[in-house]
Protein backbone atom coordinates (compact mmCIF):
# COMPACT_ATOMS: atom_id res chain seq x y z
CA UNK A 1 0.00 0.00 0.00
CA UNK A 2 1.25 3.48 -0.93
CA UNK A 3 0.94 5.98 1.91
CA UNK A 4 0.56 9.68 1.01
CA UNK A 5 3.29 11.85 2.45
CA UNK A 6 2.47 14.48 5.05
CA UNK A 7 3.29 17.41 2.71
CA UNK A 8 0.73 16.26 0.13
CA UNK A 9 -1.96 15.86 2.77
CA UNK A 10 -1.30 19.32 4.18
CA UNK A 11 -1.55 20.88 0.71
CA UNK A 12 -4.87 19.12 -0.03
CA UNK A 13 -6.40 20.24 3.30
CA UNK A 14 -5.41 23.83 2.59
CA UNK A 15 -6.90 23.68 -0.89
CA UNK A 16 -10.17 22.28 0.47
CA UNK A 17 -10.41 25.04 3.06
CA UNK A 18 -9.73 27.74 0.48
CA UNK A 19 -12.18 26.21 -1.96
CA UNK A 20 -14.89 26.03 0.68
CA UNK A 21 -14.46 29.66 1.72
CA UNK A 22 -14.50 30.84 -1.87
CA UNK A 23 -17.61 28.84 -2.71
CA UNK A 24 -19.33 30.21 0.35
CA UNK A 25 -18.49 33.76 -0.66
CA UNK A 26 -19.34 33.50 -4.36
CA UNK A 27 -22.38 31.40 -3.61
CA UNK A 28 -24.29 34.51 -2.58
CA UNK A 29 -27.12 35.21 -5.03
CA UNK A 30 -26.71 38.33 -7.17
CA UNK A 31 -29.70 40.70 -7.22
CA UNK A 32 -30.75 42.00 -10.59
CA UNK A 33 -33.21 44.85 -11.08
CA UNK A 34 -34.86 46.62 -13.99
CA UNK A 35 -34.67 50.35 -14.68
CA UNK A 36 -37.94 52.25 -15.00
CA UNK A 37 -38.61 55.94 -15.70
CA UNK A 38 -41.44 58.41 -15.32
CA UNK A 39 -43.82 58.15 -18.28
CA UNK A 40 -46.83 60.44 -18.68
CA UNK A 41 -49.55 59.82 -21.26
CA UNK A 42 -50.82 63.05 -22.79
CA UNK A 43 -54.61 63.04 -23.23
CA UNK A 44 -57.20 65.62 -24.23
CA UNK A 45 -60.24 66.81 -22.29
CA UNK A 46 -61.80 68.19 -25.47
CA UNK A 47 -62.62 65.91 -28.43
CA UNK A 48 -61.96 67.31 -31.88
CA UNK A 49 -59.64 67.40 -34.87
CA UNK A 50 -55.88 67.85 -34.58
CA UNK A 51 -55.08 70.89 -36.71
CA UNK A 52 -51.41 71.19 -35.77
CA UNK A 53 -48.67 69.03 -34.27
CA UNK A 54 -45.67 70.86 -32.89
CA UNK A 55 -43.52 67.86 -31.89
CA UNK A 56 -42.22 64.57 -33.23
CA UNK A 57 -40.93 61.39 -31.63
CA UNK A 58 -37.57 61.78 -29.91
CA UNK A 59 -38.00 65.53 -29.42
CA UNK A 60 -37.05 67.06 -26.10
CA UNK A 61 -39.77 69.19 -24.46
CA UNK A 62 -40.14 71.24 -21.33
CA UNK A 63 -43.15 71.37 -19.02
CA UNK A 64 -45.73 73.72 -20.52
CA UNK A 65 -44.47 73.49 -24.11
CA UNK A 66 -47.21 73.46 -26.78
CA UNK A 67 -47.47 69.94 -28.21
CA UNK A 68 -50.59 70.02 -30.38
CA UNK A 69 -53.60 72.17 -31.29
CA UNK A 70 -57.23 71.00 -31.53
CA UNK A 71 -59.73 72.81 -33.76
CA UNK A 72 -61.53 75.44 -31.66
CA UNK A 73 -63.99 76.99 -34.17
CA UNK A 74 -67.05 75.40 -32.55
CA UNK A 75 -65.96 76.53 -29.11
CA UNK A 76 -65.40 80.10 -30.34
CA UNK A 77 -68.96 80.10 -31.70
CA UNK A 78 -70.23 78.95 -28.30
CA UNK A 79 -68.17 81.69 -26.66
CA UNK A 80 -69.85 84.31 -28.85
CA UNK A 81 -73.25 82.81 -28.02
CA UNK A 82 -72.54 82.99 -24.30
CA UNK A 83 -71.38 86.61 -24.61
CA UNK A 84 -74.60 87.47 -26.45
CA UNK A 85 -76.59 85.79 -23.69
CA UNK A 86 -74.79 87.87 -21.09
CA UNK A 87 -75.51 91.08 -22.99
CA UNK A 88 -79.20 90.17 -23.38
CA UNK A 89 -79.55 89.28 -19.71
CA UNK A 90 -77.93 92.54 -18.64
CA UNK A 91 -80.36 94.42 -20.90
CA UNK A 92 -83.33 92.63 -19.36
CA UNK A 93 -82.07 93.42 -15.87
CA UNK A 94 -81.69 97.11 -16.71
CA UNK A 95 -85.17 97.22 -18.27
CA UNK A 96 -86.79 95.49 -15.29
CA UNK A 97 -84.94 97.73 -12.84
CA UNK A 98 -86.03 100.90 -14.65
CA UNK A 99 -89.62 99.69 -14.90
CA UNK A 100 -89.65 98.73 -11.26
CA UNK A 101 -88.35 102.11 -10.15
CA UNK A 102 -90.75 104.04 -12.39
CA UNK A 103 -93.69 101.93 -11.28
CA UNK A 104 -92.73 102.25 -7.63
CA UNK A 105 -92.39 106.04 -7.89
CA UNK A 106 -95.68 106.52 -9.77
CA UNK A 107 -97.49 104.13 -7.44
CA UNK A 108 -96.28 105.99 -4.37
CA UNK A 109 -97.44 109.29 -5.82
CA UNK A 110 -100.83 107.85 -6.82
CA UNK A 111 -101.38 106.36 -3.36
CA UNK A 112 -100.43 109.60 -1.67
CA UNK A 113 -102.82 111.57 -3.91
CA UNK A 114 -105.65 109.06 -3.35
CA UNK A 115 -105.14 109.14 0.41
CA UNK A 116 -105.35 112.94 0.38
CA UNK A 117 -108.51 112.84 -1.72
CA UNK A 118 -110.09 110.32 0.62
CA UNK A 119 -109.27 112.46 3.64
CA UNK A 120 -110.90 115.49 1.97
CA UNK A 121 -113.96 113.42 0.96
CA UNK A 122 -114.40 112.22 4.52
CA UNK A 123 -114.10 115.76 5.85
CA UNK A 124 -116.68 116.98 3.33
CA UNK A 125 -118.99 114.09 4.24
CA UNK A 126 -118.67 114.89 7.93
CA UNK A 127 -119.55 118.52 7.30
CA UNK A 128 -122.48 117.48 5.10
CA UNK A 129 -123.70 115.12 7.82
CA UNK A 130 -123.70 117.81 10.47
CA UNK A 131 -125.42 120.24 8.11
CA UNK A 132 -128.01 117.66 7.22
CA UNK A 133 -128.73 116.89 10.90
CA UNK A 134 -129.23 120.63 11.67
CA UNK A 135 -131.47 120.98 8.68
CA UNK A 136 -133.56 118.05 9.91
CA UNK A 137 -134.10 119.81 13.24
CA UNK A 138 -134.94 123.09 11.52
CA UNK A 139 -137.33 121.32 9.16
CA UNK A 140 -139.11 119.76 12.10
CA UNK A 141 -139.52 123.23 13.59
CA UNK A 142 -140.76 124.39 10.21
CA UNK A 143 -137.93 126.91 10.11
CA UNK A 144 -136.89 125.89 6.58
CA UNK A 145 -138.76 124.85 3.52
CA UNK A 146 -139.06 121.34 2.09
CA UNK A 147 -136.91 122.44 -0.80
CA UNK A 148 -134.07 123.45 1.52
CA UNK A 149 -134.40 120.15 3.33
CA UNK A 150 -134.20 118.19 0.08
CA UNK A 151 -131.12 120.16 -0.92
CA UNK A 152 -129.34 119.39 2.35
CA UNK A 153 -130.17 115.69 2.06
CA UNK A 154 -128.92 115.67 -1.51
CA UNK A 155 -125.61 117.30 -0.48
CA UNK A 156 -125.13 114.75 2.28
CA UNK A 157 -125.67 111.78 -0.02
CA UNK A 158 -123.32 113.31 -2.57
CA UNK A 159 -120.64 113.64 0.12
CA UNK A 160 -121.05 109.97 1.08
CA UNK A 161 -120.72 109.00 -2.59
CA UNK A 162 -117.56 111.07 -2.76
CA UNK A 163 -116.09 109.09 0.13
CA UNK A 164 -116.90 105.81 -1.61
CA UNK A 165 -115.29 107.04 -4.84
CA UNK A 166 -112.16 108.19 -3.00
CA UNK A 167 -111.85 104.83 -1.28
CA UNK A 168 -112.08 103.12 -4.67
CA UNK A 169 -109.34 105.35 -6.10
CA UNK A 170 -107.09 104.54 -3.14
CA UNK A 171 -107.68 100.81 -3.59
CA UNK A 172 -106.76 101.09 -7.29
CA UNK A 173 -103.62 103.05 -6.47
CA UNK A 174 -102.53 100.49 -3.93
CA UNK A 175 -103.29 97.63 -6.36
CA UNK A 176 -100.89 99.17 -8.87
CA UNK A 177 -98.10 98.13 -6.53
CA UNK A 178 -98.50 94.62 -7.96
CA UNK A 179 -96.86 95.87 -11.15
CA UNK A 180 -93.71 96.48 -9.11
CA UNK A 181 -93.76 92.81 -8.11
CA UNK A 182 -94.04 91.86 -11.78
CA UNK A 183 -90.94 93.89 -12.59
CA UNK A 184 -89.12 92.30 -9.66
CA UNK A 185 -89.98 88.82 -10.97
CA UNK A 186 -88.72 89.85 -14.42
CA UNK A 187 -85.47 91.01 -12.84
CA UNK A 188 -84.99 87.71 -11.01
CA UNK A 189 -85.47 85.76 -14.23
CA UNK A 190 -82.99 88.00 -16.01
CA UNK A 191 -80.45 87.58 -13.21
CA UNK A 192 -80.82 83.80 -13.41
CA UNK A 193 -80.28 83.95 -17.18
CA UNK A 194 -77.18 86.09 -16.61
CA UNK A 195 -75.74 83.59 -14.13
CA UNK A 196 -76.26 80.73 -16.58
CA UNK A 197 -74.71 82.66 -19.47
CA UNK A 198 -71.68 83.57 -17.34
CA UNK A 199 -71.30 79.93 -16.26
CA UNK A 200 -71.51 78.78 -19.88
CA UNK A 201 -68.89 81.34 -20.87
CA UNK A 202 -66.55 80.18 -18.11
CA UNK A 203 -66.84 76.54 -19.19
CA UNK A 204 -66.35 77.42 -22.85
CA UNK A 205 -63.21 79.38 -22.09
CA UNK A 206 -61.85 76.51 -19.99
CA UNK A 207 -62.42 74.19 -22.95
CA UNK A 208 -60.77 76.70 -25.29
CA UNK A 209 -57.63 76.53 -23.16
CA UNK A 210 -57.76 72.73 -23.33
CA UNK A 211 -57.51 72.87 -27.14
CA UNK A 212 -53.86 73.81 -26.60
CA UNK A 213 -52.25 70.48 -25.63
CA UNK A 214 -49.22 71.23 -23.45
CA UNK A 215 -46.46 69.09 -22.02
CA UNK A 216 -47.29 67.95 -18.46
CA UNK A 217 -43.60 67.56 -17.62
CA UNK A 218 -40.15 67.88 -19.09
CA UNK A 219 -38.81 64.91 -21.01
CA UNK A 220 -38.72 63.21 -24.38
CA UNK A 221 -41.59 62.38 -26.74
CA UNK A 222 -41.20 58.60 -26.79
CA UNK A 223 -44.41 57.77 -28.68
CA UNK A 224 -46.67 59.80 -30.95
CA UNK A 225 -50.05 58.22 -31.64
CA UNK A 226 -51.81 60.90 -33.74
CA UNK A 227 -51.34 62.83 -36.95
CA UNK A 228 -52.53 66.23 -38.15
CA UNK A 229 -56.13 66.12 -39.35
CA UNK A 230 -57.00 63.12 -37.19
CA UNK A 231 -60.06 63.14 -34.96
CA UNK A 232 -59.29 62.45 -31.30
CA UNK A 233 -61.49 61.70 -28.31
CA UNK A 234 -61.06 61.93 -24.57
CA UNK A 235 -59.37 59.08 -22.72
CA UNK A 236 -57.04 57.98 -25.53
CA UNK A 237 -53.35 58.96 -25.20
CA UNK A 238 -52.15 61.28 -27.95
CA UNK A 239 -48.49 60.84 -27.07
CA UNK A 240 -46.18 59.83 -24.22
CA UNK A 241 -43.58 61.98 -22.51
CA UNK A 242 -40.76 60.13 -20.75
CA UNK A 243 -38.54 61.86 -18.21
CA UNK A 244 -35.35 59.82 -18.29
CA UNK A 245 -33.87 61.88 -15.45
CA UNK A 246 -36.69 60.76 -13.13
CA UNK A 247 -35.95 57.06 -12.97
CA UNK A 248 -35.58 54.22 -10.51
CA UNK A 249 -34.78 50.52 -10.26
CA UNK A 250 -37.20 47.85 -9.10
CA UNK A 251 -35.54 44.78 -7.65
CA UNK A 252 -37.09 41.68 -6.05
CA UNK A 253 -35.41 40.56 -2.84
CA UNK A 254 -36.01 37.53 -0.67
CA UNK A 255 -37.60 37.89 2.72
CA UNK A 256 -34.31 36.89 4.31
CA UNK A 257 -32.73 40.08 2.95
CA UNK A 258 -35.38 42.48 4.24
CA UNK A 259 -33.92 42.74 7.74
CA UNK A 260 -30.59 43.83 6.22
CA UNK A 261 -31.93 46.84 4.30
CA UNK A 262 -34.01 49.93 5.11
CA UNK A 263 -35.41 53.01 3.42
CA UNK A 264 -32.81 55.72 2.85
CA UNK A 265 -30.02 53.15 2.50
CA UNK A 266 -27.73 53.53 -0.50
CA UNK A 267 -27.22 50.90 -3.17
CA UNK A 268 -24.70 50.41 -5.93
CA UNK A 269 -26.09 49.75 -9.41
CA UNK A 270 -23.99 48.12 -12.11
CA UNK A 271 -25.41 47.81 -15.65
CA UNK A 272 -25.25 44.21 -16.82
CA UNK A 273 -24.18 45.30 -20.30
CA UNK A 274 -21.52 47.72 -18.98
CA UNK A 275 -20.05 46.15 -15.83
CA UNK A 276 -17.34 48.82 -15.48
CA UNK A 277 -19.96 51.51 -14.86
CA UNK A 278 -21.36 52.12 -11.39
CA UNK A 279 -24.25 54.29 -10.21
CA UNK A 280 -25.49 55.12 -6.75
CA UNK A 281 -29.13 55.02 -5.75
CA UNK A 282 -31.18 55.27 -2.58
CA UNK A 283 -33.91 52.96 -1.34
CA UNK A 284 -37.16 54.94 -1.30
CA UNK A 285 -39.70 52.16 -0.82
CA UNK A 286 -39.81 48.58 0.42
CA UNK A 287 -43.06 46.88 -0.49
CA UNK A 288 -45.09 45.34 2.30
CA UNK A 289 -46.93 43.13 -0.14
CA UNK A 290 -45.10 39.87 -0.99
CA UNK A 291 -44.71 38.45 -4.46
CA UNK A 292 -44.28 34.77 -5.24
CA UNK A 293 -41.30 34.32 -7.54
CA UNK A 294 -41.74 32.29 -10.71
CA UNK A 295 -38.58 30.35 -9.97
CA UNK A 296 -39.24 27.59 -7.42
CA UNK A 297 -36.69 25.47 -5.68
CA UNK A 298 -36.67 21.73 -6.21
CA UNK A 299 -37.61 19.35 -3.44
CA UNK A 300 -34.33 17.53 -3.92
CA UNK A 301 -32.50 20.55 -2.59
CA UNK A 302 -34.85 20.75 0.39
CA UNK A 303 -35.82 24.37 -0.28
CA UNK A 304 -39.26 25.99 -0.13
CA UNK A 305 -41.04 28.27 -2.59
CA UNK A 306 -39.34 31.63 -2.85
CA UNK A 307 -41.21 34.73 -1.64
CA UNK A 308 -39.84 38.13 -2.68
CA UNK A 309 -40.61 41.79 -1.98
CA UNK A 310 -40.18 44.68 -4.37
CA UNK A 311 -37.61 47.30 -3.45
CA UNK A 312 -37.62 50.64 -5.25
CA UNK A 313 -34.27 52.39 -5.61
CA UNK A 314 -34.29 56.01 -6.80
CA UNK A 315 -31.50 56.81 -9.25
CA UNK A 316 -32.36 59.98 -11.24
CA UNK A 317 -29.65 59.34 -13.81
CA UNK A 318 -30.59 59.77 -17.48
CA UNK A 319 -27.77 57.39 -18.47
CA UNK A 320 -29.80 54.45 -17.14
CA UNK A 321 -32.63 53.94 -19.60
CA UNK A 322 -35.91 52.11 -18.98
CA UNK A 323 -35.67 48.38 -19.47
CA UNK A 324 -31.96 48.09 -18.64
CA UNK A 325 -30.91 45.30 -16.30
CA UNK A 326 -28.62 46.25 -13.47
CA UNK A 327 -26.88 44.35 -10.73
CA UNK A 328 -27.85 45.69 -7.29
CA UNK A 329 -25.57 45.69 -4.29
CA UNK A 330 -26.76 47.12 -1.01
CA UNK A 331 -24.15 49.06 0.95
Amino acid sequence: MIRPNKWFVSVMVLLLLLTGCTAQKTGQEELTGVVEAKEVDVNTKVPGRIVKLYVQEGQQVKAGDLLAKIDDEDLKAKEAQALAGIAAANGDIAKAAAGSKLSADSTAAAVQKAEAALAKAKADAELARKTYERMVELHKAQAISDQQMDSAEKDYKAALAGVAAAEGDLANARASRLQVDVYQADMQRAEAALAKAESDLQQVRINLKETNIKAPCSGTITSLNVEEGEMVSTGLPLMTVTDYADNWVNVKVKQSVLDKIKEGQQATLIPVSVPDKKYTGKIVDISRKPEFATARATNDRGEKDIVTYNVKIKVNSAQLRPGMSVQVKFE
Side-chain angles (χ1 to χ4, degrees):
M1 176 182 293
I2 302 175
R3 298 177 180 271
N5 58 46
K6 294 182 180 180
W7 179 85
F8 179 77
V9 172
S10 298
V11 170
M12 290 300 296
V13 170
L14 179 61
L15 287 175
L16 287 173
L17 290 174
L18 291 175
T19 303
C21 293
T22 303
Q24 185 177 2
K25 183 177 181 180
T26 59
Q28 296 178 351
E29 180 181 359
E30 294 183 353
L31 298 176
T32 302
V34 178
V35 180
E36 297 184 20
K38 178 182 178 180
E39 292 185 348
V40 180
D41 289 334
V42 180
N43 301 312
T44 174
K45 292 183 179 179
V46 180
R49 187 180 303 279
I50 298 291
V51 294
K52 184 67 177 178
L53 278 175
Y54 298 96
V55 294
Q56 56 187 358
E57 286 191 10
Q59 182 173 334
Q60 298 285 330
V61 295
K62 294 181 180 179
D65 284 352
L66 187 59
L67 305 179
K69 175 68 176 178
I70 294 179
D71 186 15
D72 58 3
E73 292 301 320
D74 289 344
L75 290 173
K76 286 183 177 179
K78 291 181 179 179
E79 181 184 32
Q81 183 180 10
L83 288 172
I86 291 175
N90 281 324
D92 292 340
I93 291 174
K95 180 180 178 181
S100 177
K101 185 177 185 304
L102 180 61
S103 179
D105 292 342
S106 62
T107 297
V111 169
Q112 185 177 8
K113 182 179 179 180
E115 288 176 343
L118 178 59
K120 183 178 182 303
K122 287 182 177 180
D124 293 343
E126 180 64 16
L127 179 60
R129 181 185 66 80
K130 292 180 179 179
T131 301
Y132 172 72
E133 290 176 350
R134 286 195 303 268
M135 295 299 284
V136 168
E137 294 297 326
L138 291 172
H139 185 263
K140 288 180 180 180
Q142 296 182 352
I144 60 173
S145 64
D146 292 341
Q147 185 179 1
Q148 289 174 317
M149 183 65 215
D150 292 340
S151 178
E153 183 178 1
K154 182 180 178 181
D155 291 342
Y156 179 46
K157 290 181 178 179
L160 291 177
V163 172
E167 289 177 342
D169 292 340
L170 179 58
N172 290 333
R174 288 174 174 172
S176 63
R177 290 175 177 173
L178 296 175
Q179 185 60 40
V180 178
D181 296 336
V182 172
Y183 283 119
Q184 290 293 331
D186 291 341
M187 184 180 298
Q188 290 177 357
R189 284 192 293 270
E191 289 174 345
L194 175 62
K196 182 181 184 304
E198 289 176 341
S199 177
D200 291 343
L201 178 62
Q202 183 180 11
Q203 184 59 53
V204 167
R205 286 181 171 172
I206 290 175
N207 290 339
L208 276 171
K209 290 182 180 180
E210 292 296 335
T211 60
N212 295 315
I213 309 299
K214 296 183 179 181
C217 63
S218 299
T220 303
I221 305 297
T222 50
S223 67
L224 188 60
N225 307 320
V226 294
E227 297 181 358
E228 289 185 2
E230 184 177 346
M231 291 292 297
V232 296
S233 59
T234 59
L236 297 178
L238 309 181
M239 60 192 74
T240 301
V241 179
T242 302
D243 185 1
Y244 291 113
D246 185 358
N247 58 359
W248 59 91
V249 171
N250 282 327
V251 59
K252 312 298 181 185
V253 301
K254 294 181 180 180
Q255 54 186 333
S256 58
V257 182
L258 289 180
D259 59 346
K260 301 177 183 178
I261 60 176
K262 62 181 179 179
E263 292 186 9
Q265 181 176 338
Q266 289 189 340
T268 300
L269 310 172
I270 304 173
V272 174
S273 58
V274 189
D276 57 335
K277 291 281 187 179
K278 291 184 178 181
Y279 300 89
T280 301
K282 183 172 67 174
I283 298 176
V284 295
D285 180 68
I286 300 175
S287 176
R288 295 183 177 276
K289 183 179 180 180
E291 300 179 9
F292 288 89
T294 54
R296 297 179 180 275
T298 61
N299 292 331
D300 293 340
R301 297 173 58 182
E303 295 180 349
K304 298 180 180 179
D305 294 344
I306 301 174
V307 178
T308 61
Y309 293 80
N310 185 75
V311 176
K312 183 177 180 180
I313 304 170
K314 197 70 173 177
V315 186
N316 292 343
S317 175
Q319 295 179 336
L320 291 177
R321 293 182 173 271
M324 284 185 174
S325 296
V326 295
Q327 183 181 354
V328 180
K329 294 183 179 180
F330 297 112
E331 298 180 3

